[in-house]
Amino acid sequence: MRILVDADACPVKDEVYRVAQRHGVSVAIVSNQRLRVPPLPFVERIVVSDSFDAADDWIAEAASPRAVVVTADILLADRALKAGAVVLSSNGKPFTTASIGGAIAVRAIMADLRAGGDQLGGPAPYSKQDRSRFLSALDDALVRLKRAG
């Protein structure tokens, strides 16, 4: 099992390390720039080129039914789901094959509104409940993968 983190803007890297260590699972921190990662034997830093979607491409290729992908990127989530991975957002909400189509549609609508000049608010501030929900969701996902063995 492995956790693949779309790390450039991920607010839960420390939480990933804690849960991964508890479960004995390796972690790949994937980014376009060199990020600081703890010197832990189960954490691997992957720095990809700065070309568009290079981190997403690396994660999508590494995704598998034995992986948990942590990302806020809806299109990457779709690719990882198609590879059989479990996909979680940083607020703990899972992306599923049942929900990804709606998420992609909303993303497209929001992009059209922004392109038309509409001023839209960003995401809600990251909260303690988001962090707690993420910790629980990641733990649950790893337990399910271990049972599926």
Side-chain angles (χ1 to χ4, degrees):
M1 290 189 325
R2 189 174 192 195
I3 303 171
L4 307 170
V5 180
D6 185 9
D8 283 316
C10 180
V12 290
K13 291 185 284 290
D14 289 337
E15 289 77 5
V16 168
Y17 305 142
R18 286 199 331 250
V19 175
Q21 187 167 29
R22 187 169 60 243
H23 285 275
V25 176
S26 66
V27 176
I29 298 295
V30 185
S31 63
N32 297 100
Q33 58 189 339
R34 187 173 166 85
L35 298 176
R36 192 178 344 201
V37 299
L40 299 168
F42 60 91
V43 176
E44 178 183 13
R45 176 185 18 229
I46 308 291
V47 181
V48 297
S49 75
D50 62 355
S51 65
F52 187 72
D53 282 346
D56 294 359
D57 291 343
W58 193 97
I59 292 168
E61 289 174 21
S64 74
R66 300 291 294 156
V68 175
V69 174
V70 178
T71 186
D73 185 314
I74 294 167
L75 297 180
L76 172 57
D78 182 47
R79 293 170 68 189
L81 285 169
K82 288 176 180 169
V86 173
V87 185
L88 298 174
S89 66
S90 59
N91 65 9
K93 292 183 181 173
F95 289 102
T96 66
T97 54
S99 70
I100 197 68
I104 291 170
V106 169
R107 179 188 180 278
I109 290 168
M110 299 303 279
D112 287 347
L113 290 172
R114 282 190 298 276
D118 290 329
Q119 296 295 318
L120 306 172
Y126 198 74
S127 70
K128 288 181 182 177
Q129 287 109 340
D130 292 331
R131 193 169 309 280
S132 177
R133 187 172 38 247
F134 174 78
L135 283 165
S136 178
L138 181 57
D139 191 70
D140 290 348
L142 292 174
V143 167
R144 281 194 315 275
L145 284 177
K146 281 182 181 178
R147 285 185 185 147

CSV table of all heavy atoms in Angstrom, one decimal, residues 78-106:
chain,number,residue,atom,x,y,z
A,78,ASP,N,-10.2,12.0,-10.9
A,78,ASP,CA,-10.9,11.2,-11.9
A,78,ASP,C,-9.9,10.2,-12.5
A,78,ASP,O,-10.2,9.0,-12.6
A,78,ASP,CB,-11.5,12.1,-13.0
A,78,ASP,CG,-12.2,11.3,-14.0
A,78,ASP,OD1,-13.0,10.4,-13.7
A,78,ASP,OD2,-12.0,11.6,-15.3
A,79,ARG,N,-8.7,10.6,-12.8
A,79,ARG,CA,-7.7,9.7,-13.4
A,79,ARG,C,-7.3,8.6,-12.3
A,79,ARG,O,-7.2,7.5,-12.7
A,79,ARG,CB,-6.5,10.5,-13.8
A,79,ARG,CG,-6.8,11.4,-15.0
A,79,ARG,CD,-5.6,12.4,-15.3
A,79,ARG,NE,-4.5,11.7,-15.8
A,79,ARG,CZ,-3.3,12.2,-15.9
A,79,ARG,NH1,-3.1,13.5,-15.6
A,79,ARG,NH2,-2.3,11.5,-16.4
A,80,ALA,N,-7.2,9.0,-11.1
A,80,ALA,CA,-6.8,8.1,-10.0
A,80,ALA,C,-7.9,7.1,-9.8
A,80,ALA,O,-7.6,5.9,-9.6
A,80,ALA,CB,-6.4,8.8,-8.8
A,81,LEU,N,-9.1,7.5,-9.8
A,81,LEU,CA,-10.3,6.6,-9.6
A,81,LEU,C,-10.3,5.6,-10.7
A,81,LEU,O,-10.5,4.4,-10.5
A,81,LEU,CB,-11.6,7.4,-9.6
A,81,LEU,CG,-11.9,8.1,-8.3
A,81,LEU,CD1,-13.1,9.1,-8.5
A,81,LEU,CD2,-12.1,7.2,-7.1
A,82,LYS,N,-10.0,6.0,-11.9
A,82,LYS,CA,-10.0,5.1,-13.1
A,82,LYS,C,-8.9,4.1,-13.0
A,82,LYS,O,-9.0,3.0,-13.5
A,82,LYS,CB,-9.9,5.9,-14.4
A,82,LYS,CG,-11.2,6.6,-14.7
A,82,LYS,CD,-11.0,7.5,-16.0
A,82,LYS,CE,-12.3,8.2,-16.3
A,82,LYS,NZ,-12.2,9.2,-17.3
A,83,ALA,N,-7.8,4.4,-12.2
A,83,ALA,CA,-6.8,3.5,-12.0
A,83,ALA,C,-7.1,2.5,-10.8
A,83,ALA,O,-6.3,1.7,-10.4
A,83,ALA,CB,-5.5,4.2,-11.7
A,84,GLY,N,-8.2,2.8,-10.1
A,84,GLY,CA,-8.6,1.9,-9.0
A,84,GLY,C,-8.2,2.4,-7.6
A,84,GLY,O,-8.5,1.7,-6.6
A,85,ALA,N,-7.6,3.6,-7.5
A,85,ALA,CA,-7.2,4.1,-6.3
A,85,ALA,C,-8.3,4.7,-5.4
A,85,ALA,O,-9.4,5.0,-5.9
A,85,ALA,CB,-6.2,5.3,-6.5
A,86,VAL,N,-8.1,4.7,-4.1
A,86,VAL,CA,-9.0,5.5,-3.2
A,86,VAL,C,-8.5,6.9,-3.3
A,86,VAL,O,-7.3,7.2,-3.2
A,86,VAL,CB,-8.9,4.9,-1.8
A,86,VAL,CG1,-9.6,5.8,-0.8
A,86,VAL,CG2,-9.3,3.5,-1.7
A,87,VAL,N,-9.5,7.9,-3.4
A,87,VAL,CA,-9.1,9.3,-3.6
A,87,VAL,C,-9.8,10.1,-2.5
A,87,VAL,O,-11.0,10.1,-2.4
A,87,VAL,CB,-9.4,9.8,-5.0
A,87,VAL,CG1,-8.9,11.2,-5.1
A,87,VAL,CG2,-8.8,8.9,-6.0
A,88,LEU,N,-9.0,10.9,-1.8
A,88,LEU,CA,-9.5,11.8,-0.7
A,88,LEU,C,-9.0,13.2,-1.0
A,88,LEU,O,-7.9,13.4,-1.4
A,88,LEU,CB,-8.9,11.4,0.6
A,88,LEU,CG,-9.3,10.0,1.2
A,88,LEU,CD1,-8.5,9.7,2.5
A,88,LEU,CD2,-10.8,9.9,1.4
A,89,SER,N,-10.0,14.1,-0.7
A,89,SER,CA,-9.6,15.5,-0.7
A,89,SER,C,-8.9,15.8,0.7
A,89,SER,O,-9.1,15.1,1.6
A,89,SER,CB,-10.8,16.4,-0.9
A,89,SER,OG,-11.7,16.3,0.2
A,90,SER,N,-8.3,17.0,0.8
A,90,SER,CA,-7.6,17.3,2.0
A,90,SER,C,-8.6,17.6,3.2
A,90,SER,O,-8.2,17.7,4.3
A,90,SER,CB,-6.7,18.5,1.8
A,90,SER,OG,-7.4,19.6,1.4
A,91,ASN,N,-9.9,17.8,2.8
A,91,ASN,CA,-10.9,18.0,3.9
A,91,ASN,C,-11.5,16.6,4.3
A,91,ASN,O,-12.4,16.6,5.1
A,91,ASN,CB,-11.9,19.0,3.5
A,91,ASN,CG,-12.8,18.6,2.4
A,91,ASN,OD1,-12.7,17.5,1.9
A,91,ASN,ND2,-13.5,19.5,1.9
A,92,GLY,N,-11.0,15.5,3.7
A,92,GLY,CA,-11.5,14.2,4.1
A,92,GLY,C,-12.7,13.7,3.3
A,92,GLY,O,-13.1,12.5,3.4
A,93,LYS,N,-13.2,14.5,2.4
A,93,LYS,CA,-14.3,14.0,1.6
A,93,LYS,C,-13.7,13.2,0.5
A,93,LYS,O,-12.8,13.6,-0.2
A,93,LYS,CB,-15.1,15.2,1.0
A,93,LYS,CG,-15.8,16.0,2.1
A,93,LYS,CD,-16.6,17.1,1.6
A,93,LYS,CE,-17.3,17.8,2.7
A,93,LYS,NZ,-18.0,19.1,2.2
A,94,PRO,N,-14.3,12.0,0.3
A,94,PRO,CA,-13.8,11.1,-0.7
A,94,PRO,C,-14.3,11.5,-2.1
A,94,PRO,O,-15.4,12.0,-2.2
A,94,PRO,CB,-14.3,9.7,-0.3
A,94,PRO,CG,-15.6,10.0,0.4
A,94,PRO,CD,-15.3,11.4,1.1
A,95,PHE,N,-13.5,11.3,-3.1
A,95,PHE,CA,-14.0,11.3,-4.5
A,95,PHE,C,-14.3,9.9,-4.8
A,95,PHE,O,-13.6,9.0,-4.5
A,95,PHE,CB,-12.9,11.8,-5.4
A,95,PHE,CG,-12.6,13.3,-5.3
A,95,PHE,CD1,-11.4,13.7,-4.6
A,95,PHE,CD2,-13.4,14.2,-5.9
A,95,PHE,CE1,-11.1,15.0,-4.5
A,95,PHE,CE2,-13.0,15.6,-5.8
A,95,PHE,CZ,-11.9,16.0,-5.1
A,96,THR,N,-15.5,9.7,-5.4
A,96,THR,CA,-15.9,8.3,-5.8
A,96,THR,C,-16.3,8.3,-7.2
A,96,THR,O,-16.6,9.3,-7.8
A,96,THR,CB,-17.1,7.8,-4.9
A,96,THR,OG1,-18.2,8.7,-5.2
A,96,THR,CG2,-16.8,7.9,-3.4
A,97,THR,N,-16.5,7.1,-7.8
A,97,THR,CA,-16.9,7.0,-9.1
A,97,THR,C,-18.3,7.5,-9.3
A,97,THR,O,-18.7,8.0,-10.3
A,97,THR,CB,-16.8,5.5,-9.6
A,97,THR,OG1,-17.6,4.7,-8.7
A,97,THR,CG2,-15.4,5.0,-9.7
A,98,ALA,N,-19.1,7.5,-8.2
A,98,ALA,CA,-20.5,8.0,-8.2
A,98,ALA,C,-20.5,9.5,-8.2
A,98,ALA,O,-21.4,10.2,-8.7
A,98,ALA,CB,-21.3,7.4,-7.1
A,99,SER,N,-19.5,10.1,-7.5
A,99,SER,CA,-19.5,11.6,-7.4
A,99,SER,C,-18.7,12.4,-8.3
A,99,SER,O,-18.8,13.6,-8.5
A,99,SER,CB,-19.1,11.9,-5.9
A,99,SER,OG,-17.7,11.7,-5.7
A,100,ILE,N,-17.7,11.7,-9.0
A,100,ILE,CA,-16.7,12.5,-9.8
A,100,ILE,C,-17.3,13.2,-11.0
A,100,ILE,O,-16.9,14.3,-11.3
A,100,ILE,CB,-15.5,11.6,-10.2
A,100,ILE,CG1,-14.4,12.4,-10.6
A,100,ILE,CG2,-15.9,10.6,-11.2
A,100,ILE,CD1,-13.7,13.2,-9.5
A,101,GLY,N,-18.3,12.6,-11.6
A,101,GLY,CA,-19.0,13.2,-12.7
A,101,GLY,C,-19.6,14.6,-12.4
A,101,GLY,O,-19.4,15.6,-13.1
A,102,GLY,N,-20.3,14.6,-11.3
A,102,GLY,CA,-20.9,15.9,-10.8
A,102,GLY,C,-19.8,16.9,-10.4
A,102,GLY,O,-20.0,18.1,-10.7
A,103,ALA,N,-18.7,16.4,-9.8
A,103,ALA,CA,-17.6,17.3,-9.4
A,103,ALA,C,-17.0,17.9,-10.7
A,103,ALA,O,-16.7,19.1,-10.7
A,103,ALA,CB,-16.6,16.6,-8.6
A,104,ILE,N,-16.8,17.1,-11.7
A,104,ILE,CA,-16.2,17.6,-13.0
A,104,ILE,C,-17.2,18.6,-13.6
A,104,ILE,O,-16.7,19.7,-14.1
A,104,ILE,CB,-15.9,16.5,-13.9
A,104,ILE,CG1,-14.7,15.6,-13.4
A,104,ILE,CG2,-15.6,17.0,-15.3
A,104,ILE,CD1,-14.5,14.3,-14.1
A,105,ALA,N,-18.5,18.4,-13.6
A,105,ALA,CA,-19.4,19.3,-14.2
A,105,ALA,C,-19.4,20.6,-13.4
A,105,ALA,O,-19.4,21.7,-14.1
A,105,ALA,CB,-20.8,18.7,-14.2
A,106,VAL,N,-19.4,20.6,-12.1
A,106,VAL,CA,-19.4,21.9,-11.3
A,106,VAL,C,-18.1,22.6,-11.6
A,106,VAL,O,-18.1,23.8,-11.8
A,106,VAL,CB,-19.5,21.6,-9.8
A,106,VAL,CG1,-19.2,22.8,-9.0
A,106,VAL,CG2,-20.9,21.1,-9.5
